[in-house]
Amino acid sequence: RWCTAVAGDPAALAPPPPDADVDPRLAHLFPSVWERSFTEARRASIAVPVLAIETPASPTPASEVDDRLKAFSGPGQRIDIAERTAEAVIASGALNFPF
């Protein structure tokens, strides 16, 4: 959508005028790489093993973690740890995942 909007805007495709304060493309804000369909397609294209390390600070809702992990086309494993530290990751056995 973002590319279509920018491509359809002659001012956004032209070189910025020398006296312009900002780039005309900024009128279209920034492309969203977080749109659900874009993200789901990106996950489906990843066929290498995926290790999801979840902590209480994870921005992913707990109810969505398993479905998101299943969306990858390669093998996946979820590890839940209590804190975001290297020690907690090592103690979890996550590094034994078959990379």
Side-chain angles (χ1 to χ4, degrees), residues 7-79:
D9 180 358
L13 296 176
D19 60 344
D21 291 333
V22 296
D23 187 321
R25 291 172 289 191
L26 292 178
H28 298 279
L29 304 175
F30 294 96
S32 175
V33 297
W34 304 118
E35 288 181 349
R36 186 170 293 272
S37 62
F38 177 84
T39 301
E40 287 171 354
R42 186 178 59 218
R43 286 188 191 116
S45 72
I46 297 173
V48 297
V50 174
L51 175 62
I53 300 175
E54 293 293 315
T55 71
S58 173
T60 302
S63 62
E64 295 182 22
V65 174
D66 291 331
D67 286 339
R68 289 184 183 190
L69 190 56
K70 290 176 191 170
F72 292 96
S73 60
Q77 181 175 342
R78 173 183 175 175
I79 301 290

Side-chain angles (χ1 to χ4, degrees), residues 66-99:
D66 291 331
D67 286 339
R68 289 184 183 190
L69 190 56
K70 290 176 191 170
F72 292 96
S73 60
Q77 181 175 342
R78 173 183 175 175
I79 301 290
D80 292 293
I81 59 176
E83 55 189 47
R84 297 182 317 179
T85 65
E87 294 80 13
V89 172
I90 292 167
S92 73
L95 301 181
N96 296 327
F97 184 66
F99 293 100

